[in-house]
Amino acid sequence: MLTAEHLTVKYAPSDARCALEDVSFTLGDHERTALLGPNGAGKSTLLLALVGILPALSGSVRADGVTLDKTTLAQLRQRLGLVFQNPDDQLFMPTVFQDVAFGPRNYGMGEAETAQAVDGALASLGISHLRDRMIHKLSGGEKRLTALAGVLAMHPSVLLLDEPTSFLDPAASRRLQTCLASLEQGMLITTHDLPFAMDLCERFLFLSRGRLVRDCTRRELGSEEDLRRELESL
Amino acid sequence: MANLSATMKNFCTLEQLAEGRTALHRLHPLAKLAITLAYAAAVISFPIHSLSALAPMAAYPLLGMALSETPWQPLLRRLALTVPFVAMTGLSNLLLDRQVWFYLGALPVTGGLLSCLSVFIKAFLTVSAVLLLIATTPLADLTSQLLRLRVPRVLCLQLMLTYRYISVLLTEAEQMYTAYQLRSGGGRGIRMRDMGPFLGQLLLRSYDRADRVYCAMKCRGYDGTYRAGTLPRLTVRDAAAAASLCGAILLLRLVNLSLLLGRLF
Amino acid sequence: MHMADALLSPAVGGVMAAVSAAAVGLSVKKLGGRDFDEKKIPMMGVMGAFVFAGQMINFTIPGTGSSGHIGGGILLAAVLGPFPALLTLSAVLIIQCLFFADGGLLALGCNIFNMGVCSCLIAWPLLFRPILRRGVSRRRITAASVLSVVLGLQLGAFCVVLETLASGVTELPFGAFAALMQPIHLAIGLVEGLVTAAVLCFLQDTRPELLSASLDARRLDAGVSLKKVLIAFAVLAVVLGCGVSRYASTHPDGLEWSIQTLTGSTELKRGDAAQEKADSSEDTAAPPDHTGESDGTPAAGLIGSALTLAAAGGAGWAIRAVRKKKHSGDKN
């Protein structure tokens, strides 16, 4: 369970405008939610604020009963797994195994436990065959899945995904969607890919100029065309 | 740029070679490191006019490359890079040291000729030894071993990060260069007056990327300490192999095997 | 300016490795200080990759038709600070050595010193920082860049000369060698300095906070004057290197003694004529090293060399042939 209450964020204290203003929502366990909005609305900012990368001016974030503050950063970041938009920013070790093992090792898992976590994460995404591959040889889709594995290996309860289908061709996009659908974690996904959002998510949050302007279910939304119209009106 | 893609190809070739499963690949990284260092030190410790004494030292790279199935092309490429400076030294010796040591038939063999050949051979031997090391040992294992040898963690992490991002940066640089070429009206290379913005942009992109990498690291629990994986233990077999090879290297350094053999005939 | 192993003696390589290790150790220690920004760690890694990529980018030098590329020491120090810059360059040099034979393994100590320490820890604090501490402007950036890059390269090139001479590998006299190296690297330095200046000016226009961070005095607190320590290191290294090599070459007793005890008399049979020649050659040429070349039996040395090479080469070829057969057998 993930709760944000009256979250307000500025990039710099001296900024006139807030990047996020008074954002509140609650995500249930196993709930898949799409975070939509025009460019510059604050979608990626929200994800970074949820994991404490961008400090909040006011408001709070709570995940699995743990409230975000200076002392609980590590704890929270293990529970909220953030997958970055560009896999090259997230995959910083030379091989797949080393990169996926980075998180577990930092969280104190022993060598055997780490190997188990890595293998489990890779298997759940069907990429066990990439275990010893050099990362720079991977395709875009494979990099995306590896980045996701790196986060899954830490056993998070919620996944935060920043535009996961960017840089992906339709086949890879479909593959990613299938993988995500098979996972049991709750998800908050920022995306511009409307079909992807409609197929995968049950709930939709709309962000515009840093404010949460609508929170609805798929049923309330209607069709993809309705979704498109909603977005264009923001 | 041709050399950008050639560079990536070189990395890929060496990485692929390092994934082999021959006996040399399976030898512990510490053993291989020790042998390589001992070998290189022995080779360069030969006096500058040694030739026949150096010949038996070629056994290590010749046999090692055969056993590890390392092809010759990477070696030749590496030698091409080392040759210029070595050639300058060797050829200047050839020209400056004209003292004749002996005659081979009618050919006067000067000290300069000996030292010139010697320095080329030493270059060949030392370069091939390092190639053998990197062609049979993945960088990750080498770095883990360095960490065990108390090389600072920070430096080991830098090795990993730099190695990882070279491909990313090279690709970016190549894309930027292509875009530049399409608008610069031809010509090779970049005009000097454009280097500032070109490199500057690449630098800024690298800087911003590093910022994002830092965030990604923090999101996965990075607390300033780099934790590498563990290496398998050094077995008795590995230690014995290293000891015997180092012993052989020492023996060849002290005893001129070529001379002994030649005297039999 | 990368030095190869073949141009080095173990003594010089060892001494410079120790000096560079000390400099690297000091840099690591500085990174652990209270002012250290953890963000620097990935920054150093990505910047290392940037320098690597940057060195592959050739620019055309107008009027000469030749091309050049950046080295990176001063550029790195300007953006990261001197100590992180040294660590970054060390990582780059190690990768270049391992993957491209650009610089030898035993020569790493020399290369880290010549290209890292000289620019980041000597030229940068001596020239770059003082010039820019007084104010940052286009003119100052250009002056600081050109002067510090030139100084760094001159020092580095000079060290190459000293290291090669101390190794006893070259017959070139000091004067000639230096006269060859210094002017070339002066020209290279001027060009590289101008490019560095151009990049830094670009940064100053777009992201001035990048430059000012490294100039900040707080991050460089050093009890003892760092420059003095390093210059002392450099002098010590060179003196030691020269001294040790000289000693080793004039007193080969240790080596000869071990040869004699190991081989008894088999290797040391010399005819009188050969002995005379060896005696006379001792005065002018390298000391007798018990190779076939120096004790009057070159033919034996040649035959033996041919035999050993043939044996090794033949064995190698046979191993490859067997392996190939095995692999094709596995495939079927």
Side-chain angles (χ1 to χ4, degrees), chain B residues 82 85, chain C residues 1-8 12-13 15-21 24 55 73 86 89-98 101-120 152-153 155-157 159-160 163-164 181:
Chain B
T82 327
F85 206 50
Chain C
M1 217 165 54
H2 293 77
M3 284 194 74
D5 281 337
L7 302 177
L8 221 55
V12 173
V15 167
M16 294 313 289
V19 171
S20 292
V24 165
Q55 288 184 354
L86 177 64
L89 266 180
S90 303
V92 173
L93 286 167
I94 292 172
I95 290 177
Q96 286 176 332
C97 159
L98 288 174
D102 210 353
L105 194 59
L106 296 176
L108 265 175
C110 297
N111 289 324
I112 290 176
F113 188 86
N114 301 345
M115 289 181 273
V117 174
C118 286
S119 55
C120 302
L153 278 178
L155 278 176
C159 288
V160 169
E163 287 151 7
T164 316
M181 290 286 283

Side-chain angles (χ1 to χ4, degrees), chain A residues 139-173:
Chain A
S139 68
E142 288 170 339
K143 278 186 184 174
R144 179 76 62 189
L145 290 175
T146 305
L148 182 54
V151 166
L152 287 176
M154 298 192 299
H155 306 305
S157 47
V158 180
L159 291 175
L160 308 174
L161 297 125
D162 197 355
E163 306 210 28
T165 58
S166 58
F167 307 119
L168 295 186
D169 61 45
S173 188

Side-chain angles (χ1 to χ4, degrees), chain C residues 149-212:
Chain C
V149 169
V150 165
L151 177 65
L153 278 178
Q154 288 297 289
L155 278 176
F158 192 63
C159 288
V160 169
V161 172
L162 291 179
E163 287 151 7
T164 316
L165 282 170
S167 300
V169 175
T170 182
E171 298 286 345
L172 273 176
F174 171 80
F177 201 172
L180 203 60
M181 290 286 283
Q182 305 303 133
I184 290 177
H185 287 90
L186 180 63
I188 294 174
L190 281 170
V191 172
E192 191 188 315
L194 287 171
V195 174
T196 305
V199 177
L200 291 175
C201 287
F202 176 84
L203 286 184
Q204 179 63 17
D205 292 338
T206 50
R207 300 264 280 273
E209 69 275 11
L210 251 69
L211 282 187
S212 52

